[in-house]
Amino acid sequence: MRSNSFHMPYTISAELKKEPALQFKKSPQKRQFFLYTILTFGILFRLFHFVHNRSLWLDEIYLSLSLISADFQQLTAPLLEYQQKAPIGFLWMVKCSVLIFGDGEKALRLIPLLCGIAALICLIPIARYWLKPAGQLAAISMMAFAPPLIYHSVEVKQYSMELLVTVLCLWLYIRFYKDRKLKSRLLWGAAGALILWFSYSSVFILTGIGMAVCLSLIMKNDWKSFLQLCVPFSMWFTSFAIHYILITSNQVDQQWLLYWFRHYQSFMPLPLWSPDTITWLIRHLYTMLDYPLGLLWNFNTADSAPLRVIMKMSILPIALSLIGIYAFFKTDKRALALLTLPLILTLAASALERYPFFERLLVFLAPLIILLIAKGCDQTIKALPALRRRQLIIPALLMTGGFAASAAQVISPDTFGRYKKSYKKEALLHIDKNYQEGDLVYVYWNMNYGYRYYKRAYNIQYNAIEGSDKKFASVSPSDYIKQLRPELHQLEGKKRVWVVYNRKIWNDIGEIENRPDWYNKSHPGEFLYRELSHRAHEIESLKLDEVNVHLFDFSSAP
């Protein structure tokens, strides 16, 4: 059922009133209670991790170093320091937050947090427009509890803004599509034109919307409306062209990054009809249920792979998405095209190696798939009378995996972010807390960036020796240590020397993955630790998953 009203309570149509009495449908207060409870938990989960203030992980640090040191003009460069790039609108907004609130993680994460919360709230009118009450609850709960979407709401990267932009594009469509006034056309055009400067992925969303609308009008021979809509669409195209000429065209292809995404099979293979492509599509579309949608029940330990797939409850969202596609096809083909064309365009860009089909880069597609699944929820309830009095069953099943995982990450924040969980801050501040006058601190090369950020953000008292990356100048472990000896010579004779290194970062930014081969056969820092253990007495150590901190005495033999 479609409604142009975005305000509560939800209006029940005459058709629905003819159906058997449904307690859930007849109680707007109950619907509001469930919806706002879900919304509140979703916001609280995001606020908890914002306040918890975990350490920045490597990619966040790379971008943060530019955000705290560069000015607004420098942030317009095609590539920032450490080969980073992000939409100008996002960079400028975060820079404003840094100027107001300082260099700390919370200032850097404030804009992503606000975007994550705004995306959740703005999804409500969109859900009301296309979905019935049960589908609305399903959509909001999927968005509210997906662990990846919560994570990106407190990450110093642009993906939370990409998510918000998708939701805003959908909202602008339902707000302005039927409004024939020139003022409304201009407002729609201006909003879309501005959005392109805040989100790289918005080109897929806006192009999908434009294609869906134009195809619909052409099929109806409604050329008058077609010509009217050329106003906003031409404004979008002009903005994109300007952005491309000024920025995108100046961004050189980074060969190491292409190699990285090829290594992780993030580009759809060609030709489309090959078995490899079909297998790739099935695997990657299935993976989206986990990242970014967070729908899989990942708390089972079955030994059998097929049984694990079943126990992850993947069949339910897959079936509902297919049912949702069918339901939109029967009732609103334009909406179906609008929700599916951005995914098709993203896959096409992936096949051309212009946009990787890879976890965090797909966050912007989450609202589209959520709406398809939620539509399938509505259609299933409509088709099965037994579910009409138990409409919360399907939304409850859809939210269980995400809610359980997100609640567990609140109870145990160390699990938040999976492989992105970092302890750089804890390690560096541990040294700062226990630092004594006369101590030396040696920071291994793969902790240099973390040290540079936290030195400035937390006013760390010590000035560390920043280690050099000698792996490409060496041919073996012994040669590697030989290359490091000029640096290590500074440590000799010192009574207290702190050494900190990361055990999980093998390659620096811009380097080809897993090279050189001899270096990647062991944990980073292992050669260094072995050498120092032979030359000095170890006083104490602190091991924090990925980061090791050791205090050595070089004044006496071990």
Side-chain angles (χ1 to χ4, degrees), residues 5 66 86 96 101 105 109 174 227 261 275 281 295 334 341 357-358 395-396 399 454 474 477 529 538 543 549 552:
S5 172
S66 290
C96 288
F101 300 108
E105 300 101 317
R109 289 177 173 141
I174 62 179
L227 292 174
F261 283 120
L281 272 172
L295 291 175
R334 184 175 60 247
L341 279 172
F357 205 83
F358 180 78
M399 67 177 276
Y454 283 106
S474 311
Y529 176 73
E538 185 173 353
K543 297 182 180 180
V549 178
F552 289 102

Side-chain angles (χ1 to χ4, degrees), residues 119-331:
L120 185 56
I121 295 173
C122 291
L123 185 65
I124 295 175
I126 297 167
R128 289 189 187 141
Y129 183 79
W130 272 310
L131 303 170
K132 296 179 181 178
Q136 294 171 30
L137 287 177
I140 301 304
S141 64
M142 284 186 279
M143 179 80 89
F145 300 139
L149 301 185
I150 295 174
Y151 175 82
H152 289 297
S153 294
V154 286
E155 181 192 33
V156 189
K157 298 290 283 186
Q158 65 267 29
Y159 307 115
S160 183
M161 182 168 283
E162 305 271 3
L163 177 73
L164 173 60
V165 160
T166 297
V167 177
L168 288 178
C169 287
L170 294 175
W171 183 83
L172 288 169
Y173 164 79
I174 62 179
R175 168 62 180 84
F176 290 114
Y177 171 65
K178 290 187 176 181
D179 194 333
R180 303 300 177 92
K181 297 176 184 176
L182 178 60
K183 178 182 178 181
S184 296
R185 300 299 192 208
L186 292 173
L187 286 173
W188 194 12
L194 182 63
I195 276 173
L196 286 162
W197 294 79
F198 286 82
S199 164
Y200 291 138
S201 62
S202 61
V203 65
F204 298 122
I205 305 298
L206 292 175
T207 302
I209 291 174
M211 290 175 64
V213 169
C214 288
L215 287 172
S216 172
L217 295 175
I218 290 172
M219 292 178 67
K220 294 178 180 179
N221 290 320
D222 188 353
W223 297 105
K224 180 180 179 180
S225 296
F226 180 88
L227 292 174
Q228 289 177 341
L229 287 170
C230 286
V231 173
F233 296 167
S234 61
M235 293 174 70
W236 299 353
F237 179 79
T238 301
S239 178
F240 173 76
I242 294 172
H243 186 277
Y244 182 84
I245 293 169
L246 294 180
I247 297 175
T248 309
S249 62
N250 297 321
Q251 293 177 341
V252 262
D253 290 335
Q254 298 165 279
Q255 291 303 313
W256 71 273
L257 198 53
L258 286 173
Y259 176 89
W260 194 90
F261 283 120
R262 287 173 187 149
H263 176 75
Y264 286 99
Q265 300 182 336
S266 301
F267 297 120
M268 186 171 72
L270 294 174
L272 295 177
W273 53 85
S274 71
D276 288 343
T277 302
I278 295 172
T279 302
W280 184 94
L281 272 172
I282 293 173
R283 184 175 68 252
H284 281 71
L285 292 176
Y286 173 81
T287 302
M288 289 185 72
L289 296 177
D290 183 50
Y291 205 122
L293 297 177
L295 291 175
L296 300 185
W297 294 18
N298 289 318
F299 40 83
N300 68 82
T301 57
D303 294 330
S304 167
L307 184 58
R308 281 199 304 273
V309 171
I310 295 172
M311 293 181 65
K312 285 176 178 286
M313 286 296 292
S314 59
I315 295 175
L316 179 63
I318 291 173
L320 291 177
S321 62
L322 295 175
I323 294 171
I325 289 172
Y326 173 78
F328 273 123
F329 179 78
K330 296 294 288 185
T331 61

